[in-house]
Amino acid sequence: MVSDRIERETVLRHPVERVWAALTTAEGLSQWFGSVAEIDLRPGGRAYFRWEDLDEESVATITIVDPPHCLAFRWPIEGWPEDDPPRTLVTFTLEPVADGTRLRLVESGFTQAADHLARSAHQANSQGWAAELGDLETYLDAAA
């Protein structure tokens, strides 16, 4: 049985506003989440991500914008056609803490896909989020 969710939590040594900017601006996103990013920061807006080194791209639809606390978007399940309705929901929640910002990431909705696709997408995204959140921390620390 494939888990329906990926959950990650980390504390970043930066203020919430700085982490929010890294999550919600094309300039910030392109430094840690792919190599090219575009974002129309509003519910129903489009977010575009491209990873030049992997020759991959993805388009997401923004669902929640609650500055500077919550950002959510839906994007395709890997292995499904772009125009197919199953999408996972990615939610970033930011909370100020004594050491900076607690970032919680939840991606859910994998079990909408057939078992073999859900398993593959869950594994790929789980590894991807571990790498991307590491890149986010590196970007924030370098720009400090």
Side-chain angles (χ1 to χ4, degrees):
M1 184 79 179
V2 176
S3 173
D4 193 51
R5 309 165 70 83
I6 296 169
E7 297 184 49
R8 299 280 184 270
E9 190 171 297
T10 188
V11 174
L12 301 164
R13 297 178 306 270
H14 304 277
V16 169
E17 294 75 18
R18 191 153 154 55
V19 178
W20 179 256
L23 296 175
T24 60
T25 65
E27 179 184 345
L29 285 163
S30 66
Q31 297 301 309
W32 69 275
F33 195 63
S35 48
V36 176
E38 299 170 9
I39 188 166
D40 178 6
L41 190 62
R42 62 180 177 81
R46 174 185 178 271
Y48 167 82
F49 311 104
R50 176 151 181 80
W51 292 263
E52 295 287 346
D53 57 331
L54 302 173
D55 194 29
E56 291 181 6
E57 58 187 31
S58 186
V59 176
T61 302
I62 306 295
T63 58
I64 298 171
V65 179
D66 180 15
H69 306 288
C70 184
L71 171 70
F73 59 81
R74 290 196 176 278
W75 68 351
I77 295 174
E78 186 176 325
W80 281 71
E82 286 286 325
D83 59 351
D84 204 333
R87 302 274 189 263
T88 59
L89 177 65
V90 177
T91 304
F92 295 94
T93 305
L94 306 178
E95 175 188 353
V97 295
D99 296 337
T101 301
R102 175 178 290 116
L103 180 144
R104 184 165 190 262
L105 164 91
V106 176
E107 182 174 7
S108 61
F110 290 95
T111 57
Q112 299 172 73
D115 194 53
H116 70 285
L117 286 177
R119 183 177 294 108
S120 173
H122 188 279
Q123 181 178 16
N125 289 19
S126 187
Q127 293 170 348
W129 285 123
E132 298 290 8
L133 293 177
D135 290 346
L136 172 60
E137 186 168 16
T138 299
Y139 161 65
L140 290 168
D141 288 349

